[in-house]
Amino acid sequence: PIWVGQSSWGPTGFAIFGDPGSAERAAEGARARWRLQSNLRFVVCRGRNRGAVVETFAGRDVVAAGYETVAKKTA
């Protein structure tokens, strides 16, 4: 992998690969290595490749990183 980490949202880890084939091979290896751990899931997905969106809600700036809608606009 090019980069690995853990999200601040909870027990989610991630790895960033340079190409889909490398990511798929790593996921298959992880599935085989931890095949007896039914609570683990390994998913390969593509990055969103867009920056964060900053909108103003009730006079306050809110960063909506990766979400289409965070809250209904009140202003």
Side-chain angles (χ1 to χ4, degrees):
I2 296 173
W3 202 73
V4 295
Q6 181 180 9
S7 81
S8 60
W9 307 92
T12 301
F14 59 89
I16 299 172
F17 292 84
D19 62 274
S22 296
E24 290 290 348
R25 286 189 296 278
E28 285 302 318
R31 289 182 194 109
R33 165 68 176 84
W34 288 287
R35 69 186 175 282
L36 300 178
Q37 300 295 322
S38 62
N39 60 336
L40 293 179
R41 197 167 52 138
F42 300 93
V43 178
V44 175
C45 59
R46 183 181 356 200
R48 198 159 178 206
N49 297 327
R50 288 198 305 226
V53 175
V54 178
E55 295 187 37
T56 300
F57 293 93
R60 303 181 80 184
D61 285 342
V62 177
V63 177
Y67 295 97
E68 295 298 323
T69 304
V70 172
K72 288 186 179 178
K73 201 167 190 175
T74 59

